[in-house]
Amino acid sequence: MRGWSIARQLFLGSLLFVTVITAVVVTLAFLDSRDRAYAQATQNTTAIATTIADSPLLLEAAKSSDPSALLQPYALSVIAGTKVDFVTIMAPDRTRWTHPDPSQIGKPYIGSVDQALAGKTFTEITAGTLGPSVRSIVPVKDSAGKVQAMVAVGVTVSTVEITLNARIPVIIGLGLGLLAVGGLVSWLLGRYLRRVTLGWGPKRLGQLFSYYESVLHSVRDGLVLVDRSGELVMYNDQAADLLGIPRPSDNTEPPALATLEIPASLKDLLASGRSVRDEIHLTEERLLVVSQDPAVLPGGRLAEGTVTTLQDHTDLRRLGDELRSTRTFTDALRAQTHEHANRMHTVVSLLELGRTNQALAFATEDLSLSQHLVDEVIDAEKEPVLAALLMGKLAQASERAIELEVSWDESVSLESISPHDVLTIVGNLLDNAMDAVALNEGPESSRLIRLELRKENTEALLKVSDNGPGIGLADTSVIFQRGFSTKEADETGRGIGLALVRQSVQRLGGQLTVTSEESGTVFSVRLPLRIEGGKA
């Protein structure tokens, strides 16, 4: 039986239980019917014997010389009218005055008469001339209370059994009905269990549950299980950490999905049950790549729910931002190297032509412009990561014929802000501004971006403004939603930059605002600065 499925074991167990219960019920019903049959026979014989004993004819016959002549016809008429097997009227010395068999008249009565002689009515089951019978014996008393005769009325056991046998088909039918209903219920229950357990046995189910628990809590990705009604079934520890919700407990039911403090977009996805692949969702601190598939039983068609995997790409995104900044700086260095080579060829050519003064003037002017570019950004008191980013962006803007003006207050210190957040905020805002001003076409069109970083009280104010065509939306807050982009839909990585900027600003406890007109767009970021010694 170890290899049997739970459905088969339960079906056989239920069927055996129903069979035992049916046998017990049938036995009890049979015993009850037998007792009722004997009780009914006792009641009938007692009532008839008492009625006969109350008749004045018995005392009159007892005083006559031939009681049988008077009583035998009377007894036979009673037997015929009441369907009892015998009515025996006897003298106190047991001598029969009446009997269904005339040859037994005058012979002694077979049975107990002591209680009747004592003036009491009683019933017994004993064997007589007609076989085993149920008989009631009633004394016949005169006016003085003396027993003058006794009346025994009885039915044979075979007669009682006939009555009992008439009830046996009903009892058997009841038993078969119980067995049929119990078997049907057991079969339906077994069929249901076979469907929900896939025909697996308890040993295999136990193994699968152990493996399932191990896999659920050992994978590095977050797993969330939701049923078809959109309610949370289970989630692992990794999912709890990624979503910022309490870890699951074995003693409590999972919380309702509507009560979880997770982003609305992710909550809607979990409740919808739709299938997605590598969809990006932002929480307060993390960038999650979410995939969701239906959970379908083997051989089934209807989904029981969904299985959702959560992958943390926050660090990967940060590395991507750093790589993008590094590439920007590398491209800028490559462009500067190319320009420097052209300028050096120009200086050498001027020297070969003997125009020393012109070569010296050209080199001095070129050195002055390069030093101005360096002094514009790099300062010993400023952040090297941000300075390197701006150097790359200045070169990138120059290549794209964009004028990038940088105004950096030397009193602003960003040491309390993570370099990753600085790169995310400044890099994405400048990239969007460059894409916006690149839409200004024509020889007379100017492409201007201004970056301003200054200190206001205990906050750092960062402004990035451009003279592009503007956003063109009445509600500018939608541009911070994940997936929104004004660029081509088929471009990769679109619709995430400004959402990451908002995420970083919110995590740092700052404020992000945007104003847009036809003359351009201004992004303003306020970030709280760390206060040391009472000064920011």
Side-chain angles (χ1 to χ4, degrees), residues 255-492:
L257 182 60
T259 62
L260 295 181
E261 296 181 358
I262 59 177
S265 61
L266 185 55
K267 187 181 298 184
D268 293 339
L269 172 62
L270 294 175
S272 67
R274 59 187 177 90
S275 297
V276 298
R277 183 67 59 184
D278 297 336
E279 188 173 278
I280 297 176
H281 289 264
L282 294 175
T283 65
E284 292 184 359
E285 298 183 356
R286 300 182 185 275
L287 173 66
L288 301 180
V289 176
V290 182
S291 298
Q292 184 167 275
D293 293 301
V296 181
L297 293 175
R301 296 182 180 180
L302 184 62
E304 299 295 328
T306 57
V307 178
T308 306
T309 58
L310 309 173
Q311 295 178 330
D312 186 8
H313 280 212
T314 305
D315 295 336
L316 185 61
R317 184 70 187 189
R318 288 176 178 175
L319 292 176
D321 290 340
E322 292 182 6
L323 178 60
R324 185 180 61 180
S325 299
T326 303
R327 285 180 176 176
T328 301
F329 192 59
T330 302
D331 293 340
L333 290 178
R334 186 181 297 111
Q336 290 294 323
T337 301
H338 181 71
E339 290 296 322
H340 181 69
N342 291 335
R343 291 166 184 170
M344 289 301 297
H345 284 305
T346 302
V347 172
V348 172
S349 297
L350 290 173
L351 290 175
E352 288 179 351
L353 294 174
R355 298 185 179 184
T356 307
N357 293 333
Q358 292 180 356
L360 180 60
F362 180 81
T364 301
E365 182 181 359
D366 180 60
L367 178 62
S368 176
L369 290 174
S370 300
Q371 187 63 40
H372 175 73
L373 178 64
V374 174
D375 293 341
E376 182 72 21
V377 176
I378 298 180
D379 190 277
E381 300 295 332
K382 297 179 181 179
E383 298 298 322
V385 174
L386 181 57
L389 175 64
L390 292 180
M391 284 290 296
K393 293 300 180 183
L394 284 167
Q396 185 179 5
S398 177
E399 287 184 352
R400 300 178 64 177
I402 298 174
E403 183 180 357
L404 175 58
E405 297 182 357
V406 178
S407 176
W408 192 343
D409 187 353
E410 297 182 0
S411 63
V412 178
S413 176
L414 303 179
E415 293 181 356
S416 61
I417 301 175
S418 170
H420 298 291
D421 290 326
V422 174
L423 291 176
T424 297
I425 296 172
V426 178
N428 282 289
L429 291 181
L430 288 178
D431 287 341
N432 285 346
M434 289 185 185
D435 291 338
V437 298
L439 299 177
N440 296 339
E441 299 179 352
E444 298 181 357
S445 300
S446 63
R447 299 179 178 180
L448 176 62
I449 299 176
R450 292 188 177 89
L451 184 145
E452 180 182 0
L453 179 61
R454 69 174 185 267
K455 179 181 177 183
E456 288 189 358
N457 298 325
T458 60
E459 293 180 331
L461 175 61
L462 172 67
K463 281 189 176 183
V464 176
S465 58
D466 63 72
N467 65 344
I471 298 175
L473 295 175
D475 184 9
T476 57
S477 62
V478 298
I479 66 175
F480 300 108
Q481 296 179 2
R482 177 191 56 80
F484 177 84
S485 177
T486 59
K487 306 176 183 66
E488 294 296 331
D490 58 351
E491 297 183 35
T492 59

Side-chain angles (χ1 to χ4, degrees), residues 184-202:
L184 178 62
V185 172
S186 300
W187 179 77
L188 292 176
L189 182 59
R191 183 180 179 183
Y192 167 75
L193 287 177
R194 187 182 301 109
R195 179 172 61 84
V196 299
T197 61
L198 305 179
W200 292 339

